[in-house]
């Protein structure tokens, strides 16, 4: 009924074996190549010693991309109270400020990724002890602002960078293939248009969007469309009606139909009105897409009702939220818990340092904090699609993982 999206994929996720990758000098890691092999480095950038080759350990993993309808959590969700942060769930995974995080959908292993300001991607396997579980790659030369594991192949991590490229990293082989490259532009965000990840919509800082088909040869887009926005910070595809995407940028947040995009003169289907400063993000609610949450520099999170798309959609709820992260911290982006329809998760300036959870009505449901192990603002957060796992990234490369 609600278009609840659950795809059951049996995968053989052959375990990371970086020792098989020949080390290369950092100078060789030039972005120009279509495909790159990368060495293992520690988060400060220094190469790690080779570890002896080991037989591939193959994990028969069970990956799901969403909960079954009967598993969707009731509201309010009390399982949030069971999620805690322990000392061993805080680690530095990348060198610099975190711009993006992603959680691998595996239900048997906890595997999280962070992308940083310098172009590093750190992958952390929490089932390995301490820093042994951290793998760092440098597939980009500028901030990695958007990442997602591929729904088609869970060993693939797609990453987008301000350097204008999207790469598809096979993390088991440390090969990062270029799937998209813009000409003289900088990209900000992407999302999968087709739910099998064959096509993508990509946002650019100059206000254009591109549609990319991974199946066509080369690394250019099928279409580049000017959508009359000064800039685009996020694009996000409707979870059910996948032709719709919401683009957020300057002060405008608009919904478009990807089927009718053309190079110029595009008109939005809907405009989400009321923002008075720049918008950091806009995301559809995960199961029905009936709501959108935005994060704006006017100190408000706004929730919109998008079950029917009229040309102007007024604010349903505005939630006061201090956005003043200042210059040195990444801006907040409120996300939805993918396991439920009505649960907004966002970093916070409040003390003790915490990650806040709101209902779409504005009521605060919960806050994640731990005075011993969470001592900083987590600007960028992500949640596991089926398990109780929340990852918060801070502005010096550290991840904090709350779980039950
Ligand atoms: C992915 O989806 C597209 C559009 O829905 C379809 O044309 C294509 O055949 C699919 N590809 C795979 C590998 O399933
Ligand atoms: C990130 O977190 C670590 C550990 O919690 C902390 O030591 C560091 O100061 C934090 N960085 C920032 C920029 O807050
Ligand atoms: C209303 C308000 O104080 N908004 C602030 C949100 O954060 C940005 C910087 O991160 C400030 O410039 C705004 O003044």
């Amino acid at each position: 009924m609600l278009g609840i999206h659950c795809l059951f994929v049996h995968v053989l996720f052959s375990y990371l074996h970086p020792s098989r990758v020949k080390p290369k000098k950092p100078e060789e890691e030039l972005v120009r190549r279509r495909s790159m092999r990368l060495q293992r480095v520690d988060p400060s950038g220094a190469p790690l010693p080779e570890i002896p080759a080991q037989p591939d350990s193959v994990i028969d993993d069970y990956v799901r991309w969403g909960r079954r309808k009967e598993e969707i959590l009731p509201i309010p969700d009390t399982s949030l109270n069971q999620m805690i942060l322990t000392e061993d769930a805080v680690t530095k995974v990348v060198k610099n400020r975190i711009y993006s995080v992603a959680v691998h959908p595996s239900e048997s292993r906890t595997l999280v990724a962070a992308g940083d300001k310098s172009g590093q991607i750190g992958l952390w396997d929490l089932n390995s002890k301490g820093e042994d579980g951290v793998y760092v790659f440098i597939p980009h030369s500028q901030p990695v602002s958007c990442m997602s594991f591929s729904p088609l192949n869970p060993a693939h991590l797609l990453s987008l960078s301000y350097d204008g490229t999207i790469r598809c990293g096979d993390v088991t082989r440390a090969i990062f293939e270029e799937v998209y490259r813009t000409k003289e532009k900088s990209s900000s965000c992407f999302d999968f248009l087709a739910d099998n990840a064959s096509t993508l919509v990509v946002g650019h800082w100059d206000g254009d969007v591109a549609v990319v088909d991974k199946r066509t040869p080369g690394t250019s887009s099928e279409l580049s469309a000017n959508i009359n926005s000064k800039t685009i910070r996020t694009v996000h595809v409707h979870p059910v009606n996948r032709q719709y995407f919401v683009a957020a940028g300057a002060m405008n947040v608009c919904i478009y139909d990807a089927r009718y995009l053309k190079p110029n003169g595009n008109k939005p289907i809907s405009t989400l009105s009321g923002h008075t400063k720049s918008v950091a993000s806009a995301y559809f609610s995960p199961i029905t897409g009936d709501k959108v949450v935005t994060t704006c520099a006017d100190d408000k999170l706004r929730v919109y009702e998008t079950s029917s798309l009229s040309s102007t959609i007024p604010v349903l709820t505005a939630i006061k939220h201090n956005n003043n992260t200042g210059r040195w911290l990444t801006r907040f982006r409120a996300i939805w818990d993918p396991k439920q329809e009505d649960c907004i998760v966002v970093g916070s300036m409040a003390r003790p340092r915490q990650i806040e959870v709101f209902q779409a009505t504005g009521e605060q449901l919960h806050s994640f904090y731990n005075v011993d192990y969470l001592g900083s603002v987590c600007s960028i957060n992500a949640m596991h699609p089926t398990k109780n796992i929340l990852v918060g990234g801070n502005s010096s490369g550290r991840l904090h993982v709350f779980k039950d």
Side-chain angles (χ1 to χ4, degrees):
M1 45 155 281
L2 292 172
I4 285 158
H5 195 68
C6 50
L7 181 66
F8 294 80
V9 196
H10 252 305
V11 290
L12 288 178
F13 188 9
S14 61
Y15 196 45
L16 309 169
H17 35 213
S19 57
R20 305 161 117 238
V21 177
K22 288 209 187 77
K24 287 204 162 146
K25 295 204 199 85
E27 302 88 85
E28 286 180 50
E29 287 163 1
L30 251 204
V31 221
R32 203 142 308 134
R33 296 178 49 193
R34 187 170 150 75
S35 138
M36 293 196 300
R37 280 178 173 274
L38 297 172
Q39 91 230 63
R40 183 183 183 198
V41 293
D42 84 8
S44 68
L48 290 177
E50 282 278 281
I51 51 174
Q54 55 204 11
D56 298 358
S57 47
V58 174
I59 301 167
D60 189 359
D61 204 355
Y62 197 47
V63 174
R64 300 193 300 157
W65 292 90
R67 293 198 171 196
R68 282 189 291 270
K69 194 176 62 185
E70 60 275 19
E71 293 177 315
I72 298 292
L73 297 169
I75 296 166
D77 170 16
T78 52
S79 66
L80 297 172
N81 299 322
Q82 293 150 21
M83 295 166 63
I84 55 163
L85 180 68
T86 53
E87 186 175 8
D88 58 357
V90 180
T91 277
K92 188 168 172 72
V93 294
V94 279
K95 191 173 175 185
N96 279 302
R97 193 204 282 202
I98 290 177
Y99 276 60
S100 55
V101 288
V103 183
H104 191 275
S106 168
E107 293 195 329
S108 56
R109 297 214 148 230
T110 305
L111 201 58
V112 295
D116 85 352
K117 188 178 180 193
S118 67
Q120 285 193 353
I121 292 177
L123 194 65
W124 179 22
D125 176 3
L126 277 84
N127 300 74
S128 301
K129 277 274 165 281
E131 301 213 330
D132 283 352
V134 177
Y135 303 87
V136 182
F137 310 103
I138 316 175
H140 294 285
S141 57
Q142 288 181 41
V144 181
S145 56
C146 188
M147 289 193 302
S148 182
F149 285 96
S150 166
L152 205 58
N153 183 342
H156 287 175
L157 175 66
L158 282 100
S159 58
L160 170 146
S161 163
Y162 290 11
D163 68 18
T165 63
I166 297 179
R167 288 182 177 275
C168 178
D170 181 334
V171 295
T172 64
R173 296 187 300 147
I175 293 178
F176 287 74
E177 211 172 81
E178 194 172 294
V179 296
Y180 174 61
R181 165 176 289 275
T182 57
K183 291 191 196 75
E184 295 149 20
K185 280 193 197 184
S186 182
S187 319
S188 52
C189 192
F190 75 92
D191 196 12
F192 302 116
L193 267 177
D195 55 6
N196 64 20
S198 58
T199 51
L200 313 172
V201 58
V202 186
H204 296 124
W205 288 110
D206 70 356
D208 284 2
V209 292
V211 174
V212 174
D213 191 331
K214 280 164 57 201
R215 297 162 301 183
T216 55
T219 57
S220 57
S221 60
E222 307 304 304
L223 171 77
S224 175
N226 179 308
I227 58 169
N228 309 316
S229 178
K230 275 208 205 81
T231 189
I232 296 175
R233 288 198 166 78
T234 61
V235 287
H236 189 242
V237 172
H238 192 287
V240 183
N241 302 312
R242 300 195 71 98
Q243 69 273 23
Y244 299 133
F245 67 91
V246 59
M251 256 157 54
N252 35 356
V253 178
C254 296
I255 296 171
Y256 296 87
D257 187 328
R259 293 171 302 179
Y260 302 122
L261 286 177
K262 46 190 194 271
N264 286 296
N266 292 290
K267 294 259 178 320
I269 294 178
S270 299
T271 299
L272 311 190
S273 62
H275 301 98
T276 63
K277 286 192 176 177
S278 80
V279 182
S281 62
Y283 300 114
F284 282 111
S285 59
I287 296 159
T288 61
D290 282 353
K291 292 197 172 69
V292 166
V293 64
T294 67
T295 307
C296 183
D298 60 10
D299 275 341
K300 287 200 176 90
L301 310 178
R302 289 179 175 81
V303 179
Y304 293 84
E305 169 71 48
T306 50
S307 52
S308 73
L309 298 178
S310 52
S311 62
T312 302
I313 300 180
V315 185
L316 181 67
T317 318
I319 305 168
K320 187 127 187 54
H321 183 263
N322 179 358
N323 83 115
N324 213 336
T325 44
R327 238 186 106 183
W328 306 108
L329 305 180
T330 309
R331 283 180 73 177
F332 295 130
R333 289 181 222 148
I335 56 161
W336 298 94
D337 177 354
K339 296 183 289 297
Q340 42 190 327
E341 190 54 18
D342 191 27
C343 180
I344 296 162
V345 177
V346 62
S348 170
M349 298 305 291
R351 289 178 188 272
R353 292 312 189 196
Q354 56 193 274
I355 300 170
E356 294 173 319
V357 184
F358 296 95
Q359 263 181 268
T361 53
E363 189 191 331
Q364 186 160 358
L365 274 181
H366 188 67
S367 59
F368 291 100
Y369 63 90
N370 181 306
V371 287
D372 298 320
Y373 307 124
L374 180 62
S376 64
V377 174
C378 285
S379 293
I380 301 294
N381 307 294
M383 288 187 95
H384 191 284
T386 55
K387 291 180 70 186
N388 290 322
I389 296 173
L390 165 68
V391 188
N394 86 358
S395 290
S396 47
R398 276 209 171 55
L399 288 182
H400 306 76
V401 183
F402 285 84
K403 52 190 169 47
D404 54 15

